[in-house]
PDB file of all heavy atoms in Angstrom:
ATOM      1  N   TRP A 666      81.708 -56.778  99.736  1.00  0.00           N
ATOM      2  CA  TRP A 666      81.130 -55.523 100.220  1.00  0.00           C
ATOM      3  C   TRP A 666      80.254 -55.884 101.414  1.00  0.00           C
ATOM      4  O   TRP A 666      79.406 -56.771 101.333  1.00  0.00           O
ATOM      5  CB  TRP A 666      80.233 -54.856  99.183  1.00  0.00           C
ATOM      6  CG  TRP A 666      80.921 -54.339  97.954  1.00  0.00           C
ATOM      7  CD1 TRP A 666      82.240 -54.330  97.663  1.00  0.00           C
ATOM      8  CD2 TRP A 666      80.252 -53.743  96.827  1.00  0.00           C
ATOM      9  NE1 TRP A 666      82.465 -53.771  96.433  1.00  0.00           N
ATOM     10  CE2 TRP A 666      81.261 -53.395  95.894  1.00  0.00           C
ATOM     11  CE3 TRP A 666      78.928 -53.462  96.521  1.00  0.00           C
ATOM     12  CZ2 TRP A 666      80.956 -52.787  94.664  1.00  0.00           C
ATOM     13  CZ3 TRP A 666      78.623 -52.855  95.311  1.00  0.00           C
ATOM     14  CH2 TRP A 666      79.633 -52.524  94.396  1.00  0.00           C
ATOM     15  N   ILE A 667      80.442 -55.173 102.527  1.00  0.00           N
ATOM     16  CA  ILE A 667      79.603 -55.409 103.705  1.00  0.00           C
ATOM     17  C   ILE A 667      79.127 -54.055 104.221  1.00  0.00           C
ATOM     18  O   ILE A 667      79.946 -53.217 104.612  1.00  0.00           O
ATOM     19  CB  ILE A 667      80.360 -56.166 104.817  1.00  0.00           C
ATOM     20  CG1 ILE A 667      80.839 -57.539 104.308  1.00  0.00           C
ATOM     21  CG2 ILE A 667      79.487 -56.329 106.055  1.00  0.00           C
ATOM     22  CD1 ILE A 667      81.657 -58.321 105.333  1.00  0.00           C
ATOM     23  N   ASP A 668      77.823 -53.837 104.212  1.00  0.00           N
ATOM     24  CA  ASP A 668      77.304 -52.589 104.766  1.00  0.00           C
ATOM     25  C   ASP A 668      75.878 -52.798 105.261  1.00  0.00           C
ATOM     26  O   ASP A 668      75.300 -53.875 105.088  1.00  0.00           O
ATOM     27  CB  ASP A 668      77.384 -51.446 103.747  1.00  0.00           C
ATOM     28  CG  ASP A 668      76.110 -51.296 102.925  1.00  0.00           C
ATOM     29  OD1 ASP A 668      75.613 -52.320 102.412  1.00  0.00           O
ATOM     30  OD2 ASP A 668      75.610 -50.175 102.807  1.00  0.00           O
ATOM     31  N   ASN A 669      75.305 -51.773 105.889  1.00  0.00           N
ATOM     32  CA  ASN A 669      73.973 -51.914 106.482  1.00  0.00           C
ATOM     33  C   ASN A 669      72.945 -50.950 105.899  1.00  0.00           C
ATOM     34  O   ASN A 669      71.841 -50.847 106.419  1.00  0.00           O
ATOM     35  CB  ASN A 669      74.048 -51.703 108.002  1.00  0.00           C
ATOM     36  CG  ASN A 669      74.427 -50.278 108.367  1.00  0.00           C
ATOM     37  OD1 ASN A 669      74.836 -49.482 107.524  1.00  0.00           O
ATOM     38  ND2 ASN A 669      74.315 -49.949 109.636  1.00  0.00           N
ATOM     39  N   GLN A 670      73.316 -50.239 104.825  1.00  0.00           N
ATOM     40  CA  GLN A 670      72.365 -49.275 104.275  1.00  0.00           C
ATOM     41  C   GLN A 670      72.401 -49.272 102.750  1.00  0.00           C
ATOM     42  O   GLN A 670      71.392 -49.541 102.113  1.00  0.00           O
ATOM     43  CB  GLN A 670      72.645 -47.876 104.827  1.00  0.00           C
ATOM     44  CG  GLN A 670      71.459 -46.931 104.705  1.00  0.00           C
ATOM     45  CD  GLN A 670      71.539 -45.788 105.702  1.00  0.00           C
ATOM     46  OE1 GLN A 670      72.155 -45.890 106.759  1.00  0.00           O
ATOM     47  NE2 GLN A 670      70.900 -44.677 105.381  1.00  0.00           N
ATOM     48  N   GLY A 671      73.532 -48.963 102.155  1.00  0.00           N
ATOM     49  CA  GLY A 671      73.590 -49.016 100.707  1.00  0.00           C
ATOM     50  C   GLY A 671      74.815 -48.317 100.155  1.00  0.00           C
ATOM     51  O   GLY A 671      75.051 -47.142 100.445  1.00  0.00           O
ATOM     52  N   PHE A 672      75.597 -49.037  99.355  1.00  0.00           N
ATOM     53  CA  PHE A 672      76.701 -48.406  98.644  1.00  0.00           C
ATOM     54  C   PHE A 672      76.127 -47.554  97.509  1.00  0.00           C
ATOM     55  O   PHE A 672      74.961 -47.713  97.129  1.00  0.00           O
ATOM     56  CB  PHE A 672      77.658 -49.475  98.108  1.00  0.00           C
ATOM     57  CG  PHE A 672      78.500 -50.117  99.169  1.00  0.00           C
ATOM     58  CD1 PHE A 672      78.297 -51.443  99.557  1.00  0.00           C
ATOM     59  CD2 PHE A 672      79.489 -49.398  99.808  1.00  0.00           C
ATOM     60  CE1 PHE A 672      79.058 -52.030 100.537  1.00  0.00           C
ATOM     61  CE2 PHE A 672      80.273 -49.982 100.804  1.00  0.00           C
ATOM     62  CZ  PHE A 672      80.058 -51.299 101.166  1.00  0.00           C
ATOM     63  N   PRO A 673      76.914 -46.637  96.949  1.00  0.00           N
ATOM     64  CA  PRO A 673      76.361 -45.661  96.010  1.00  0.00           C
ATOM     65  C   PRO A 673      75.581 -46.276  94.859  1.00  0.00           C
ATOM     66  O   PRO A 673      75.998 -47.277  94.257  1.00  0.00           O
ATOM     67  CB  PRO A 673      77.613 -44.926  95.504  1.00  0.00           C
ATOM     68  CG  PRO A 673      78.592 -45.045  96.612  1.00  0.00           C
ATOM     69  CD  PRO A 673      78.355 -46.400  97.205  1.00  0.00           C
ATOM     70  N   ASP A 674      74.444 -45.629  94.561  1.00  0.00           N
ATOM     71  CA  ASP A 674      73.636 -46.038  93.416  1.00  0.00           C
ATOM     72  C   ASP A 674      74.432 -45.796  92.136  1.00  0.00           C
ATOM     73  O   ASP A 674      75.189 -44.844  92.022  1.00  0.00           O
ATOM     74  CB  ASP A 674      72.342 -45.219  93.395  1.00  0.00           C
ATOM     75  CG  ASP A 674      71.468 -45.556  92.198  1.00  0.00           C
ATOM     76  OD1 ASP A 674      71.457 -46.728  91.796  1.00  0.00           O
ATOM     77  OD2 ASP A 674      70.808 -44.638  91.673  1.00  0.00           O
ATOM     78  N   GLY A 675      74.252 -46.652  91.175  1.00  0.00           N
ATOM     79  CA  GLY A 675      74.935 -46.509  89.886  1.00  0.00           C
ATOM     80  C   GLY A 675      76.146 -47.397  89.744  1.00  0.00           C
ATOM     81  O   GLY A 675      76.603 -47.650  88.615  1.00  0.00           O
ATOM     82  N   LEU A 676      76.697 -47.904  90.848  1.00  0.00           N
ATOM     83  CA  LEU A 676      77.848 -48.803  90.767  1.00  0.00           C
ATOM     84  C   LEU A 676      77.357 -50.194  90.376  1.00  0.00           C
ATOM     85  O   LEU A 676      76.493 -50.773  91.044  1.00  0.00           O
ATOM     86  CB  LEU A 676      78.576 -48.887  92.109  1.00  0.00           C
ATOM     87  CG  LEU A 676      79.197 -47.607  92.666  1.00  0.00           C
ATOM     88  CD1 LEU A 676      79.977 -47.916  93.930  1.00  0.00           C
ATOM     89  CD2 LEU A 676      80.088 -46.931  91.640  1.00  0.00           C
ATOM     90  N   ARG A 677      77.910 -50.717  89.313  1.00  0.00           N
ATOM     91  CA  ARG A 677      77.551 -52.077  88.881  1.00  0.00           C
ATOM     92  C   ARG A 677      78.497 -53.062  89.565  1.00  0.00           C
ATOM     93  O   ARG A 677      79.693 -53.094  89.280  1.00  0.00           O
ATOM     94  CB  ARG A 677      77.653 -52.202  87.357  1.00  0.00           C
ATOM     95  CG  ARG A 677      76.598 -51.408  86.619  1.00  0.00           C
ATOM     96  CD  ARG A 677      76.452 -51.886  85.186  1.00  0.00           C
ATOM     97  NE  ARG A 677      77.647 -51.617  84.403  1.00  0.00           N
ATOM     98  CZ  ARG A 677      77.846 -50.512  83.692  1.00  0.00           C
ATOM     99  NH1 ARG A 677      76.918 -49.557  83.680  1.00  0.00           N
ATOM    100  NH2 ARG A 677      78.938 -50.341  82.991  1.00  0.00           N
ATOM    101  N   LYS A 678      77.939 -53.845  90.472  1.00  0.00           N
ATOM    102  CA  LYS A 678      78.763 -54.814  91.201  1.00  0.00           C
ATOM    103  C   LYS A 678      79.171 -55.933  90.248  1.00  0.00           C
ATOM    104  O   LYS A 678      78.352 -56.522  89.554  1.00  0.00           O
ATOM    105  CB  LYS A 678      77.977 -55.390  92.389  1.00  0.00           C
ATOM    106  CG  LYS A 678      78.798 -56.336  93.245  1.00  0.00           C
ATOM    107  CD  LYS A 678      77.949 -56.999  94.301  1.00  0.00           C
ATOM    108  CE  LYS A 678      76.990 -57.994  93.660  1.00  0.00           C
ATOM    109  NZ  LYS A 678      77.701 -59.166  93.109  1.00  0.00           N
ATOM    110  N   ARG A 679      80.434 -56.227  90.254  1.00  0.00           N
ATOM    111  CA  ARG A 679      80.937 -57.294  89.380  1.00  0.00           C
ATOM    112  C   ARG A 679      80.621 -58.663  89.985  1.00  0.00           C
ATOM    113  O   ARG A 679      80.480 -58.798  91.208  1.00  0.00           O
ATOM    114  CB  ARG A 679      82.434 -57.115  89.159  1.00  0.00           C
ATOM    115  CG  ARG A 679      83.230 -57.098  90.441  1.00  0.00           C
ATOM    116  CD  ARG A 679      84.575 -56.400  90.293  1.00  0.00           C
ATOM    117  NE  ARG A 679      85.405 -57.037  89.276  1.00  0.00           N
ATOM    118  CZ  ARG A 679      86.625 -56.606  88.939  1.00  0.00           C
ATOM    119  NH1 ARG A 679      87.146 -55.549  89.550  1.00  0.00           N
ATOM    120  NH2 ARG A 679      87.319 -57.221  88.022  1.00  0.00           N
ATOM    121  N   PRO A 680      80.529 -59.706  89.163  1.00  0.00           N
ATOM    122  CA  PRO A 680      80.145 -61.036  89.668  1.00  0.00           C
ATOM    123  C   PRO A 680      81.119 -61.591  90.694  1.00  0.00           C
ATOM    124  O   PRO A 680      80.727 -62.367  91.573  1.00  0.00           O
ATOM    125  CB  PRO A 680      80.118 -61.903  88.408  1.00  0.00           C
ATOM    126  CG  PRO A 680      79.938 -60.943  87.279  1.00  0.00           C
ATOM    127  CD  PRO A 680      80.632 -59.685  87.691  1.00  0.00           C
ATOM    128  N   GLU A 681      82.397 -61.196  90.601  1.00  0.00           N
ATOM    129  CA  GLU A 681      83.395 -61.750  91.515  1.00  0.00           C
ATOM    130  C   GLU A 681      83.264 -61.173  92.932  1.00  0.00           C
ATOM    131  O   GLU A 681      83.888 -61.672  93.864  1.00  0.00           O
ATOM    132  CB  GLU A 681      84.819 -61.448  91.001  1.00  0.00           C
ATOM    133  CG  GLU A 681      85.082 -61.986  89.609  1.00  0.00           C
ATOM    134  CD  GLU A 681      84.848 -60.939  88.537  1.00  0.00           C
ATOM    135  OE1 GLU A 681      83.894 -60.120  88.691  1.00  0.00           O
ATOM    136  OE2 GLU A 681      85.615 -60.905  87.568  1.00  0.00           O
ATOM    137  N   THR A 682      82.489 -60.107  93.092  1.00  0.00           N
ATOM    138  CA  THR A 682      82.324 -59.468  94.396  1.00  0.00           C
ATOM    139  C   THR A 682      81.045 -59.969  95.058  1.00  0.00           C
ATOM    140  O   THR A 682      79.997 -60.037  94.423  1.00  0.00           O
ATOM    141  CB  THR A 682      82.259 -57.941  94.237  1.00  0.00           C
ATOM    142  OG1 THR A 682      83.473 -57.470  93.636  1.00  0.00           O
ATOM    143  CG2 THR A 682      82.071 -57.255  95.589  1.00  0.00           C
ATOM    144  N   THR A 683      81.141 -60.312  96.333  1.00  0.00           N
ATOM    145  CA  THR A 683      79.980 -60.754  97.106  1.00  0.00           C
ATOM    146  C   THR A 683      79.518 -59.609  98.000  1.00  0.00           C
ATOM    147  O   THR A 683      80.308 -59.073  98.784  1.00  0.00           O
ATOM    148  CB  THR A 683      80.339 -61.976  97.974  1.00  0.00           C
ATOM    149  OG1 THR A 683      80.736 -63.058  97.127  1.00  0.00           O
ATOM    150  CG2 THR A 683      79.145 -62.404  98.814  1.00  0.00           C
ATOM    151  N   TYR A 684      78.261 -59.260  97.862  1.00  0.00           N
ATOM    152  CA  TYR A 684      77.692 -58.148  98.615  1.00  0.00           C
ATOM    153  C   TYR A 684      76.842 -58.717  99.753  1.00  0.00           C
ATOM    154  O   TYR A 684      75.790 -59.306  99.537  1.00  0.00           O
ATOM    155  CB  TYR A 684      76.837 -57.296  97.692  1.00  0.00           C
ATOM    156  CG  TYR A 684      76.331 -55.987  98.267  1.00  0.00           C
ATOM    157  CD1 TYR A 684      75.752 -55.038  97.428  1.00  0.00           C
ATOM    158  CD2 TYR A 684      76.396 -55.673  99.628  1.00  0.00           C
ATOM    159  CE1 TYR A 684      75.269 -53.828  97.918  1.00  0.00           C
ATOM    160  CE2 TYR A 684      75.928 -54.477 100.123  1.00  0.00           C
ATOM    161  CZ  TYR A 684      75.358 -53.551  99.264  1.00  0.00           C
ATOM    162  OH  TYR A 684      74.883 -52.360  99.752  1.00  0.00           O
ATOM    163  N   ILE A 685      77.300 -58.521 100.987  1.00  0.00           N
ATOM    164  CA  ILE A 685      76.564 -58.956 102.181  1.00  0.00           C
ATOM    165  C   ILE A 685      75.858 -57.736 102.767  1.00  0.00           C
ATOM    166  O   ILE A 685      76.503 -56.839 103.322  1.00  0.00           O
ATOM    167  CB  ILE A 685      77.511 -59.581 103.222  1.00  0.00           C
ATOM    168  CG1 ILE A 685      78.262 -60.768 102.619  1.00  0.00           C
ATOM    169  CG2 ILE A 685      76.740 -60.001 104.472  1.00  0.00           C
ATOM    170  CD1 ILE A 685      79.360 -61.316 103.522  1.00  0.00           C
ATOM    171  N   GLN A 686      74.547 -57.702 102.602  1.00  0.00           N
ATOM    172  CA  GLN A 686      73.752 -56.584 103.123  1.00  0.00           C
ATOM    173  C   GLN A 686      73.192 -57.000 104.483  1.00  0.00           C
ATOM    174  O   GLN A 686      72.350 -57.883 104.585  1.00  0.00           O
ATOM    175  CB  GLN A 686      72.621 -56.247 102.153  1.00  0.00           C
ATOM    176  CG  GLN A 686      71.635 -55.210 102.652  1.00  0.00           C
ATOM    177  CD  GLN A 686      72.288 -53.885 103.029  1.00  0.00           C
ATOM    178  OE1 GLN A 686      72.472 -53.621 104.221  1.00  0.00           O
ATOM    179  NE2 GLN A 686      72.657 -53.091 102.032  1.00  0.00           N
ATOM    180  N   THR A 687      73.684 -56.354 105.543  1.00  0.00           N
ATOM    181  CA  THR A 687      73.268 -56.741 106.901  1.00  0.00           C
ATOM    182  C   THR A 687      71.972 -56.063 107.327  1.00  0.00           C
ATOM    183  O   THR A 687      71.308 -56.503 108.249  1.00  0.00           O
ATOM    184  CB  THR A 687      74.358 -56.376 107.915  1.00  0.00           C
ATOM    185  OG1 THR A 687      74.402 -54.952 108.066  1.00  0.00           O
ATOM    186  CG2 THR A 687      75.721 -56.891 107.471  1.00  0.00           C
ATOM    187  N   TRP A 688      71.633 -54.929 106.696  1.00  0.00           N
ATOM    188  CA  TRP A 688      70.532 -54.056 107.056  1.00  0.00           C
ATOM    189  C   TRP A 688      70.698 -53.565 108.501  1.00  0.00           C
ATOM    190  O   TRP A 688      71.682 -53.879 109.165  1.00  0.00           O
ATOM    191  CB  TRP A 688      69.171 -54.698 106.801  1.00  0.00           C
ATOM    192  CG  TRP A 688      68.089 -53.660 106.579  1.00  0.00           C
ATOM    193  CD1 TRP A 688      66.999 -53.414 107.349  1.00  0.00           C
ATOM    194  CD2 TRP A 688      68.048 -52.710 105.499  1.00  0.00           C
ATOM    195  NE1 TRP A 688      66.271 -52.372 106.813  1.00  0.00           N
ATOM    196  CE2 TRP A 688      66.890 -51.914 105.689  1.00  0.00           C
ATOM    197  CE3 TRP A 688      68.877 -52.444 104.406  1.00  0.00           C
ATOM    198  CZ2 TRP A 688      66.546 -50.877 104.822  1.00  0.00           C
ATOM    199  CZ3 TRP A 688      68.538 -51.422 103.540  1.00  0.00           C
ATOM    200  CH2 TRP A 688      67.375 -50.649 103.745  1.00  0.00           C
ATOM    201  N   HIS A 689      69.750 -52.746 108.977  1.00  0.00           N
ATOM    202  CA  HIS A 689      69.960 -52.074 110.261  1.00  0.00           C
ATOM    203  C   HIS A 689      68.730 -52.097 111.161  1.00  0.00           C
ATOM    204  O   HIS A 689      68.624 -51.273 112.073  1.00  0.00           O
ATOM    205  CB  HIS A 689      70.385 -50.618 110.028  1.00  0.00           C
ATOM    206  CG  HIS A 689      69.481 -49.862 109.095  1.00  0.00           C
ATOM    207  ND1 HIS A 689      69.665 -49.877 107.733  1.00  0.00           N
ATOM    208  CD2 HIS A 689      68.396 -49.099 109.319  1.00  0.00           C
ATOM    209  CE1 HIS A 689      68.726 -49.131 107.162  1.00  0.00           C
ATOM    210  NE2 HIS A 689      67.943 -48.653 108.102  1.00  0.00           N
ATOM    211  N   GLY A 690      67.812 -53.011 110.934  1.00  0.00           N
ATOM    212  CA  GLY A 690      66.700 -53.101 111.874  1.00  0.00           C
ATOM    213  C   GLY A 690      65.478 -53.745 111.278  1.00  0.00           C
ATOM    214  O   GLY A 690      65.208 -53.627 110.078  1.00  0.00           O
ATOM    215  N   SER A 691      64.707 -54.429 112.118  1.00  0.00           N
ATOM    216  CA  SER A 691      63.425 -54.970 111.690  1.00  0.00           C
ATOM    217  C   SER A 691      62.448 -53.818 111.482  1.00  0.00           C
ATOM    218  O   SER A 691      62.670 -52.700 111.942  1.00  0.00           O
ATOM    219  CB  SER A 691      62.876 -55.934 112.733  1.00  0.00           C
ATOM    220  OG  SER A 691      63.756 -57.038 112.887  1.00  0.00           O
ATOM    221  N   ALA A 692      61.362 -54.105 110.790  1.00  0.00           N
ATOM    222  CA  ALA A 692      60.478 -53.031 110.359  1.00  0.00           C
ATOM    223  C   ALA A 692      59.140 -53.067 111.078  1.00  0.00           C
ATOM    224  O   ALA A 692      58.508 -54.113 111.179  1.00  0.00           O
ATOM    225  CB  ALA A 692      60.253 -53.121 108.852  1.00  0.00           C
ATOM    226  N   PHE A 693      58.720 -51.898 111.554  1.00  0.00           N
ATOM    227  CA  PHE A 693      57.328 -51.696 111.945  1.00  0.00           C
ATOM    228  C   PHE A 693      56.633 -50.833 110.890  1.00  0.00           C
ATOM    229  O   PHE A 693      55.556 -51.156 110.422  1.00  0.00           O
ATOM    230  CB  PHE A 693      57.246 -51.025 113.317  1.00  0.00           C
ATOM    231  CG  PHE A 693      55.846 -50.564 113.652  1.00  0.00           C
ATOM    232  CD1 PHE A 693      54.844 -51.491 113.934  1.00  0.00           C
ATOM    233  CD2 PHE A 693      55.517 -49.212 113.652  1.00  0.00           C
ATOM    234  CE1 PHE A 693      53.547 -51.068 114.213  1.00  0.00           C
ATOM    235  CE2 PHE A 693      54.228 -48.795 113.932  1.00  0.00           C
ATOM    236  CZ  PHE A 693      53.245 -49.722 114.206  1.00  0.00           C
TER     237      PHE A 693
END
Side-chain angles (χ1 to χ4, degrees):
W666 293 357
I667 300 177
D668 92 312
N669 66 349
Q670 200 157 334
F672 286 110
D674 178 35
L676 298 185
R677 291 198 294 269
K678 184 187 70 69
R679 57 202 301 179
E681 302 95 323
T682 300
T683 298
Y684 188 168
I685 302 172
Q686 173 57 258
T687 71
W688 205 244
H689 51 273
S691 298
F693 169 70

